[in-house]
Amino acid sequence: MPHTRTRNTSPIPEMNETWKGAVACLGVAIFFVMAIGIIYWQVVDQPNKNWILKGSFSGLIWDRRTHSLIIQTLTEDKTFVEIDVGNFPALEVPFVKNLCWLNKTEFCYTWDSIADLKISLESEYSPGTECYSIHWIPLHCQVDLKDCFSMDNISWYGGAGVRAQNWPINNVNIALQPFVVSNLRNNPTGFGSVLERYFLGSSGVALFIAQDIPVHISIDSRKQFCLQTPLSTELVPLQYMVCVGNNIKTVHQEVGSQLSELPRELPNTHILRLPFWKLLANADSGAKVERELRTFFNRLKRHKLGEGVISINEHSSTILSDMDHESFYGRKKSTLRHTRDLPRVKLLNISITLSPYTSVDTRQFQTSLQEGREDYWLSLPSKTDGYLAPLLTKWKGKFSVKLNITNHAAVNWFLDKVSSLQTKLGVEYITLEGGEGNPFTEQALEPPKTLSGDEYISLFAEIAAKIGNSSIITAGTRSNHLPLFVRMSPLQSDWSYSGIKGIIPSILHFSLLGYNFFIPDAVGGSLSSEFVTDEELFIRWLQIATFLPVISFRTPPWVCGDRVLNLTRSFILKHQDSVVPLIIQYAEEWASQDRPVFRPVWWISPDDPVTYTIDDEFLIGDEMLVAPVTERGEVQRDIYLPGSEYQWMDTNNGKVFDGGTLLENYSVPLEEVAVFQRRCS
């Protein structure tokens, strides 16, 4: 039987070993080509910028080349802000995958073993703004979270006061430090006086830093300012929100109200009509303080300077409170002179100064220990016996303890003490100083959470508000809704930004953050212990103070001669008759609509870049522009009038000018201040 050959019916020829090897090599080659392609796409061909979130008019871009988050308009014709997200591995190519891809309003990413990032597009704000909530969470304690905000083509405002205040803050240099209020007299390189976790940029961007998270801030002049988490044994997050709008005024009006969502109350506006006179009493007894007060009051009357408030320091206030005041208030009838003095004394307004500090050598402190009230002071518990040991600190050169402001009994005791003094001395105006400073952190101790950061200052402001609406505090944070005055930091008696040039930037800073009622530093500056002898400096300073809530003096004008004395009378009357009614009018607008009383020039022209750096002019409301001289020896200056749709009338000579005009070398004699009234074209 013949052999029958089996036929292969498959269309594919049978593969021998050579073919198998070729196919295997081809597969490996294809795999390598694909791998190289993927790597090339991720590392080389992938665009440098990727949209990671989009709103209705803005979007958030990741620039992988610069490791920056950029908020731009969707048409990419305007950049609102650029944020350098800090120190992360340069070789890693982040943001190739959104871990929150199911939600188009969120973006999530994790750097392995470093940090988690979550960005949310917030929608609960007004239609004209869009906000991006950015939340970094470290994955271990050694992570350095640091985000920096560029100053390229953006002028920044807000944050905190500094010794040499600038407007904008782009020219300021501040080393990295906790973002808390310091006493600038003791710490001239710190943040001072008024502080809020809010920054505003000229491109139409606003930054809110989370209130309950510790943060350090540095400012690198003309380059950037940075937020950074402090060193800690805990996992401290970095959290903030960035909001953008059409322009700087729009975004501030739409979201700036978040600085305080509580109802705003006005302080006692009667104070605005009263000049404050700081009496430098050098007395060691109540009788001497009384005598100096009488003498100073008589001088004010003799020089026809009208009614005012005589302010005395804490030392004099303590001495005065310990004496028998019956003779001081004319109650003793032993002599005809006391009866004759009674009407004068009733016209005498005194402002006393108190603080939450008590010296350890006082009977008051010793009594508190004897009565077992150690918890009235900031204290540390004993690790072994459990008793409380009051925490020692220094206040004005003396070892002292500080009121435990979280103890309700201690607060009530302090309020009773103040009330008793008010009744005893017959005074209405109280200055509370010393809220700044944390004895725990001063001694490298971890404070209780109820007193972390600037909590003490906020609670102290609430105590001041309970005392009354004529109270004055020396520092403010999260308290712009309270009916209080804030005293500005002392300035140098010179023509620098630490002196007269820093007044207008400070005015604008305070008012932007909602602190429209402030007591400016004394005319001529008060940082020095000497009286001001520069007549020109005194006059130019006085001209600025005339248009502020209160005129404050430390150098009596009669020290500088008749010319200064006559000008002082004239400017006090101008302040009372023309300025105070205008401030009260716009104060009502601030309370109801959150518009600052004292406004930068860009408030009228928010899209005009010329206005962003003007730091020697300011507006009261929208109708009065003040342009004082702050250069030594000058009797002319350049003045920019904003708003092309308006006209401005010089109140000194009646001349009218179009808005949007730069008046070059405009005449401002020494005895005048340039003031323009807005008129509709």
Side-chain angles (χ1 to χ4, degrees):
M1 184 176 176
H3 175 70
T4 304
R5 192 172 185 180
T6 305
R7 187 177 177 185
N8 182 9
T9 59
S10 172
I12 300 176
E14 188 175 353
M15 185 177 294
N16 57 29
E17 294 299 324
T18 303
W19 275 101
K20 289 181 180 179
V23 170
C25 289
L26 179 61
V28 172
I30 291 172
F31 172 79
F32 275 110
V33 169
M34 291 176 65
I36 292 171
I38 292 172
I39 294 172
Y40 180 85
W41 174 78
Q42 285 193 336
V43 179
V44 181
D45 194 43
Q46 188 180 0
N48 284 328
K49 295 182 178 181
N50 302 100
W51 291 93
I52 59 175
L53 281 178
K54 289 186 178 182
S56 61
F57 67 87
S58 71
L60 189 64
I61 294 173
W62 169 251
D63 188 327
R64 68 190 190 93
R65 179 178 51 86
T66 61
H67 277 201
S68 296
L69 290 168
I70 303 171
I71 302 179
Q72 290 184 333
T73 55
L74 295 180
T75 54
E76 300 188 50
D77 58 348
K78 179 180 180 179
T79 296
F80 292 102
V81 65
E82 182 174 347
I83 308 167
D84 181 350
V85 301
N87 305 318
F88 291 102
L91 296 178
E92 185 172 354
V93 184
F95 293 172
V96 294
K97 184 179 180 181
N98 180 5
L99 301 180
C100 300
W101 60 275
L102 289 175
N103 189 338
K104 293 185 178 180
T105 62
E106 290 186 348
F107 178 88
C108 306
Y109 189 82
T110 297
W111 270 271
D112 290 340
S113 304
I114 298 177
D116 285 336
L117 170 65
K118 182 178 180 180
I119 305 175
S120 302
L121 179 61
E122 307 291 342
S123 59
E124 67 265 25
Y125 301 101
S126 61
T129 59
E130 291 180 341
C131 297
Y132 299 84
S133 176
I134 299 175
H135 192 181
W136 291 96
I137 302 175
L139 298 181
H140 59 80
C141 296
Q142 286 72 41
V143 173
D144 181 21
L145 296 176
K146 180 180 179 181
D147 284 5
C148 297
F149 293 75
S150 173
M151 291 181 173
D152 289 344
N153 302 314
I154 301 180
S155 295
W156 286 97
Y157 316 91
V162 294
R163 165 55 60 84
Q165 190 69 51
N166 278 245
W167 182 271
I169 63 172
N170 293 46
N171 292 328
V172 172
N173 261 313
I174 295 287
L176 186 69
Q177 59 186 285
F179 195 51
V180 295
V181 175
S182 303
N183 185 324
L184 292 182
R185 189 184 287 272
N186 301 328
N187 180 23
T189 60
F191 299 111
S193 201
V194 159
L195 177 151
E196 296 293 341
R197 295 186 168 207
Y198 174 71
F199 292 82
L200 184 66
S202 59
S203 60
V205 57
L207 166 67
F208 293 91
I209 306 168
Q211 292 286 1
D212 55 348
I213 296 175
V215 67
H216 289 193
I217 286 185
S218 63
I219 305 177
D220 190 359
S221 177
R222 301 184 183 183
K223 294 181 180 177
Q224 61 187 13
F225 68 93
C226 299
L227 320 180
Q228 188 168 338
T229 52
L231 294 175
S232 175
T233 56
E234 300 179 359
L235 298 178
V236 180
L238 182 61
Q239 186 173 358
Y240 57 88
M241 184 167 63
V242 181
C243 298
V244 296
N246 183 49
N247 57 48
I248 184 172
K249 180 181 177 181
T250 299
V251 74
H252 179 67
Q253 286 188 297
E254 296 292 349
V255 302
S257 59
Q258 293 180 58
L259 285 172
S260 177
E261 300 182 49
L262 297 171
R264 299 173 180 82
E265 298 179 62
L266 300 183
N268 178 10
T269 54
H270 179 66
I271 294 181
L272 304 183
R273 302 181 184 278
L274 303 175
F276 268 63
W277 304 91
K278 186 174 182 179
L279 176 62
L280 300 177
N282 185 19
D284 55 5
S285 71
K288 290 181 180 179
V289 173
E290 173 192 340
R291 187 161 54 250
E292 291 194 29
L293 280 168
R294 285 179 177 274
T295 300
F296 192 78
F297 170 75
N298 289 333
R299 284 183 177 176
L300 290 176
K301 187 172 183 179
R302 185 167 65 249
H303 290 297
K304 300 178 181 179
L305 289 166
E307 186 182 2
V309 177
I310 302 177
S311 175
I312 58 176
N313 62 22
E314 185 180 12
H315 177 68
S316 295
S317 299
T318 302
I319 291 175
L320 199 61
S321 67
D322 290 338
M323 71 172 289
D324 174 15
H325 298 280
E326 289 186 354
S327 61
F328 181 61
Y329 285 96
R331 297 190 184 105
K332 287 189 176 179
K333 301 177 182 179
S334 57
T335 66
L336 181 62
R337 180 186 174 192
H338 283 139
T339 305
R340 195 164 52 241
D341 281 348
L342 179 58
R344 297 183 188 178
V345 173
K346 282 187 175 179
L347 294 174
L348 183 62
N349 290 321
I350 301 174
S351 170
I352 62 172
T353 304
L354 303 173
S355 80
Y357 291 92
T358 297
S359 174
V360 296
D361 60 6
T362 60
R363 184 190 309 167
Q364 189 178 86
F365 175 67
Q366 298 298 329
T367 301
S368 73
L369 297 184
Q370 293 168 6
E371 295 180 354
R373 291 185 279 111
E374 295 90 347
D375 60 346
Y376 275 31
W377 318 108
L378 297 181
S379 305
L380 288 174
S382 168
K383 292 184 178 179
T384 55
D385 301 328
Y387 64 85
L388 288 175
L391 194 61
L392 283 184
T393 184
K394 270 201 169 183
W395 174 246
K396 296 184 177 179
K398 292 185 176 182
F399 282 108
S400 304
V401 290
K402 195 170 187 179
L403 182 72
N404 182 1
I405 210 164
T406 63
N407 183 322
H408 294 300
V411 170
N412 289 333
W413 166 82
F414 183 80
L415 289 171
D416 289 343
K417 169 187 168 184
V418 174
S419 177
S420 175
L421 282 175
Q422 285 181 297
T423 302
K424 188 175 183 180
L425 301 178
V427 297
E428 180 180 2
Y429 310 109
I430 307 287
T431 297
L432 294 181
E433 62 181 10
E436 314 93 306
N438 191 322
F440 291 98
T441 55
E442 288 169 7
Q443 301 182 38
L445 298 170
E446 186 72 23
K449 289 187 177 181
T450 53
L451 291 174
S452 61
D454 279 327
E455 286 298 323
Y456 198 103
I457 294 174
S458 297
L459 295 172
F460 201 45
E462 292 178 9
I463 288 180
K466 290 179 180 178
I467 292 171
N469 64 356
S470 298
S471 300
I472 303 163
I473 56 177
T474 56
T477 183
R478 302 189 299 283
S479 53
N480 60 16
H481 62 287
L482 297 173
L484 301 170
F485 286 83
V486 183
R487 192 177 71 194
M488 286 185 165
S489 299
L491 296 172
Q492 294 176 186
S493 301
D494 59 29
W495 299 83
S496 71
Y497 280 97
S498 297
I500 190 170
K501 281 189 180 67
I503 300 174
I504 295 177
S506 296
I507 295 166
L508 297 174
H509 169 74
F510 270 60
S511 206
L512 180 74
L513 297 183
Y515 297 87
N516 294 284
F517 294 93
F518 47 82
I519 309 289
D521 191 30
V523 171
S526 68
L527 198 58
S528 168
S529 59
E530 304 295 325
F531 283 153
V532 179
T533 56
D534 185 336
E535 180 187 76
E536 181 190 5
L537 179 67
F538 189 99
I539 292 172
R540 291 304 193 190
W541 204 303
L542 173 64
Q543 290 168 347
I544 301 174
T546 299
F547 297 89
L548 304 185
V550 173
I551 305 178
S552 177
F553 296 92
R554 194 196 61 146
T555 299
W558 56 81
V559 171
C560 300
D562 290 341
R563 182 189 190 188
V564 169
L565 184 57
N566 290 332
L567 282 172
T568 300
R569 294 192 196 105
S570 173
F571 280 113
I572 287 176
L573 287 175
K574 185 178 185 68
H575 174 263
Q576 293 170 338
D577 295 341
S578 303
V579 178
V580 170
L582 198 60
I583 291 176
I584 293 175
Q585 173 190 332
Y586 282 101
E588 298 289 348
E589 185 176 304
W590 164 75
S592 60
Q593 302 178 40
D594 196 35
R595 297 179 181 177
V597 175
F598 302 94
R599 302 172 184 177
V601 180
W602 53 250
W603 190 266
I604 285 181
S605 299
D607 296 311
D608 184 354
V610 174
T611 64
Y612 297 155
T613 55
I614 294 177
D615 65 354
D616 56 0
E617 303 176 23
F618 65 95
L619 297 156
I620 301 179
D622 281 349
E623 60 183 280
M624 180 180 283
L625 184 142
V626 185
V629 172
T630 58
E631 294 286 348
R632 181 195 291 272
E634 292 293 338
V635 291
Q636 57 186 18
R637 56 155 294 171
D638 293 348
I639 300 173
Y640 187 76
L641 303 175
S644 57
E645 66 273 28
Y646 302 121
Q647 289 185 322
W648 296 89
M649 182 186 72
D650 187 332
T651 59
N652 291 313
N653 55 34
K655 293 181 179 179
V656 177
F657 303 91
D658 292 330
T661 301
L662 177 64
L663 306 179
E664 297 184 274
N665 299 320
Y666 196 75
S667 176
V668 189
L670 178 58
E671 296 187 0
E672 293 183 6
V673 56
V675 179
F676 295 82
Q677 197 80 24
R678 195 193 77 175
R679 296 172 45 175
C680 293
S681 301

